[in-house]
Structure formats: C-alpha cells, structure tokens
Amino acid sequence: MLANTPVLPRFDGYPSGWFVIGWSDELAVGQVVPLHYFGQKLVLFRGEDGRANLLDAYCAHLGASLAAGGVVKGCNIECPFHAWRYAGDGRCVEIPYAQKIPRKAFVRAWEVREHSGLLFMWHDAQGRQPDYEIPTLPEWENPGWTRWTMSKLQIRTHPREIVENVVDKAHFPQVHNTHVESFENEFEGHKATQRTRGVAYPVGGGRDQFAIEATYFGPGVQFSWMNGVLEARLLNAHVPIDEHHLDLRFGVMLKMIGSEEKTRMFAQKYAENLQLGFHQDIAIWENKLFRELPVLCEGDGPIMRLRQWYAQFYGDGARGRVDEKQEVAR
Ligand code: FES
Ligand SMILES: [Fe+2]
C-alpha cells in the first residue's frame, strides 16, 4: 500500500455486539416468538423458570422449525414434528421414543441478557464471547417513571447509516427542524457519545429547549438521557434482519409529572414525535447511497472518526483499539 493511502473502514457482513431483539413485556412465560435476525431463523422462548432463551430455529433431527409450532414444556421447547425437547442451552434433553440421545442432538444457543425491560442477544461474527455489557437503566424499576412506550419499524438500509446520525451535526436543522446550540462527540472503547443542546420544533407543534446525552454501547444499542420540558430516557436500537434490512426499535420512559395518566399521555405524544423524527431520517436512508469517501466541509461532524470507531465491530475487529492515525481527513 502506498504511504498516505487512507485506510478506509470496511463494513462487510454483520456487526458484532449486543442487539435488542424484543421487550420483556412482550415475552410471557410459555411464549414462543419466531425471529429472523442476522440472516437466520431463530426462536425466542420463555420457560417456566422465567428465563428468556434464544436458539436457532431448525431442529437438529429432520429440520422442522421450532419457531413454527414449537411449544414450551417446563423450561424447554418441544419440536412440533417428533417432540424432541431442547433446553435453553440448545441441548436436546428428551426424545419421547428413544432412550439414548445422540451426541449431535443440539441446536445453536445464543447468549441472551434481559434487563431494563429489554431483551438483548449477543452476535459475534467470529464466535467470541461478550467483552462488554449494556448498562442497566434503574428508571425501569422506579415507580416514579413510566414503563417504556415503544415502537418498532422495519427499514431498508445498512446499520452504518443509522449510527452515522450520532455525528451528523449538519442534518439536524434541515431534517429535524432543530436548532443546535452546542454539539460534541466522544469515543471511548465500545462507546460513542453525542452531547447536544438546542431547541427542537417538533412536527406536532411547540418548542422544546433540550439537552441530550446519547451513548451507543457497541454498534446497535443507544440510550439517551434527555433533560428538557420533560425528563426522559430514550432507547434507539437496531438489529440487522439481513444485509439490506433492519429492525429499528425505540422507546421512551418519562419521569412522572402529575398523575400517571397524564404522564402516560405525554409519553405517547413524545414517542409519536420521536417516530416522526425517525421517519424524517428514514426517507433519506432508504434512498441514499453510502459514499465511502464523502466530500466533507468545515461544520460537518466527525463522520470519518465515527466510521473508524464503528469499524471495530466488523470482521475480526480490534475492539477498543481505534487507531487515531488511520483517521482520514474529516
Ligand atoms: S424434526 Fe424436530 S423432532 Fe423431528
Ligand atoms: Fe436524524
């Protein structure tokens, strides 16, 4: 390679890290949920011990889908075809018509975490174990706060477009009708933070003087701490479905103001405004191309710095070791 050739980040395949795959409230004991993430069919179920488990959907026996007719039996899931039962760790633990369980009778089990009202899966392209955790939001357990008001959207785009929003300072006035007073970014290991102050003019009307600190914990989960007219905690999380689509989940928790009912109404309104904000971005994302080497100018946020940070979650990565010198001009 020639000296001074910029090293561009690659975003081939899927990112590695923790991803939100659902809301705790949507997975009752005994429930089975089919999922399709990272180009694979998966099955999520909650056993009677209350634990959420995530397995590859196809049975090791003759390949029936546990996600289409599988039933929770105790803490295990039973295949609809010949009733083989699988534990949460993916091992077949019972075959009703056989004494001996074949050694190869297992399906892949994915690491799951559950806290803050959210279900997370660990995906690592190289099969490595988790090397960071998503912090808990104590507000979830706090009766002084609402539960999540939540939404999910399927979008046709690449995850890097969503993440790039973190540093894209110049799109706020144009796309979101937001006046930015101050804007800064910080990158530290697996975390990327944006701190913004400004005035938002939501589509639904009104004027909101706000201060927000938004942090990505790894490539797919962002929590925001927002102080404005209302005090809010926001979730913005995406997970790849395949190489061209992703699920975007967002949620709002609000600190109670006055009655619970009134706060809930606010939270609903707030979530709707947030959703409108995302729709403004989506209209751009679904129609744009990704410029590997964009023409940037003074006043743009640190877009190339963000890409270097994000590249650590791809391929064999070098998590937490982003080489400043590899940064191409911003
Ligand atoms: S295919 Fe699942 S038990 Fe036979
Ligand atoms: Fe945006």
Side-chain angles (χ1 to χ4, degrees):
M1 192 182 291
L2 295 173
N4 300 325
T5 303
V7 180
L8 289 173
R10 306 287 317 168
F11 304 111
D12 299 329
Y14 295 113
S16 299
W18 287 109
F19 295 85
V20 174
I21 53 166
W23 311 88
S24 295
D25 286 351
E26 289 177 346
L27 187 69
V29 169
Q31 200 171 344
V32 176
V33 176
L35 295 176
H36 183 178
Y37 289 132
F38 299 98
Q40 302 178 65
K41 300 277 190 190
L42 307 169
V43 62
L44 176 70
F45 69 96
R46 197 188 292 284
E48 68 182 19
D49 57 357
R51 232 182 101 107
N53 305 289
L54 183 67
L55 304 178
D56 275 358
Y58 296 117
C59 180
H61 185 214
L62 289 176
S65 172
L66 303 169
V71 175
V72 173
K73 296 282 161 116
C75 298
N76 307 321
I77 186 164
E78 184 180 278
C79 180
F81 206 2
H82 314 91
W84 288 26
R85 287 190 187 173
Y86 294 90
D89 64 2
R91 273 180 314 114
C92 176
V93 290
E94 199 181 323
I95 299 175
Y97 54 90
Q99 292 301 316
K100 197 159 174 262
I101 296 174
R103 217 162 32 90
K104 288 187 176 164
F106 62 86
V107 292
R108 178 173 181 176
W110 298 77
E111 191 100 28
V112 173
R113 296 269 194 281
E114 182 170 17
H115 63 73
S116 312
L118 304 169
L119 289 155
F120 303 90
M121 76 176 277
W122 175 259
H123 171 266
D124 191 292
Q126 314 292 315
R128 292 164 298 199
Q129 291 301 304
D131 59 358
Y132 69 92
E133 295 293 329
I134 305 286
T136 55
L137 292 175
E139 294 81 3
W140 169 249
E141 309 277 359
N142 186 337
W145 285 71
T146 66
R147 308 283 277 183
W148 287 113
T149 300
M150 45 211 190
S151 301
K152 188 176 89 172
L153 292 170
Q154 185 179 320
I155 307 172
R156 190 183 67 249
T157 190
H158 189 282
R160 63 195 166 192
E161 301 286 5
I162 316 273
V163 177
E164 213 155 283
N165 245 249
V166 168
V167 292
D168 189 357
K169 177 181 166 188
H171 90 294
F172 285 101
Q174 172 73 5
V175 177
H176 301 302
N177 201 19
T178 297
H179 172 66
V180 175
E181 287 166 356
S182 70
F183 187 91
E184 61 178 56
N185 292 107
E186 191 180 302
F187 303 92
E188 190 194 352
H190 66 278
K191 295 190 281 183
T193 297
Q194 168 202 335
R195 292 188 195 88
T196 316
R197 283 177 181 281
V199 185
Y201 300 92
V203 191
R207 177 184 190 279
D208 187 8
Q209 180 89 37
F210 69 91
I212 191 166
E213 177 164 323
T215 298
Y216 263 100
F217 298 93
V221 182
Q222 185 194 48
F223 289 152
S224 298
W225 287 260
M226 184 140 182
N227 300 307
V229 179
L230 302 166
E231 211 181 320
R233 302 290 174 264
L234 311 178
L235 166 79
N236 164 22
H238 62 269
V239 50
I241 295 169
D242 55 30
E243 295 204 37
H244 306 287
H245 299 85
L246 53 84
D247 270 346
L248 182 71
R249 286 184 174 81
F250 50 95
V252 181
M253 280 194 284
L254 286 184
K255 193 169 178 179
M256 296 288 186
I257 34 155
S259 73
E260 195 174 334
E261 200 188 330
K262 190 173 151 203
T263 312
R264 239 186 229 122
M265 260 170 48
F266 266 124
Q268 193 58 43
K269 188 88 202 123
Y270 203 94
E272 278 165 21
N273 271 333
L274 208 66
Q275 183 156 358
L276 286 170
F278 275 112
H279 276 290
Q280 294 162 340
D281 280 319
I282 292 164
I284 304 278
W285 292 332
E286 290 202 320
N287 294 293
K288 77 186 286 299
L289 60 77
F290 185 79
R291 286 216 186 275
E292 302 281 349
L293 264 181
V295 180
L296 298 173
C297 69
E298 191 188 341
D300 276 325
I303 287 172
M304 299 316 279
R305 179 72 182 84
L306 183 275
R307 289 186 186 180
Q308 290 292 352
W309 171 81
Y310 186 56
Q312 69 180 301
F313 305 110
Y314 279 79
D316 58 5
R319 204 158 297 145
R321 285 186 283 118
V322 179
D323 185 353
E324 294 285 353
K325 291 194 197 104
Q326 286 188 1
E327 192 177 338
V328 290
R330 53 172 267 198

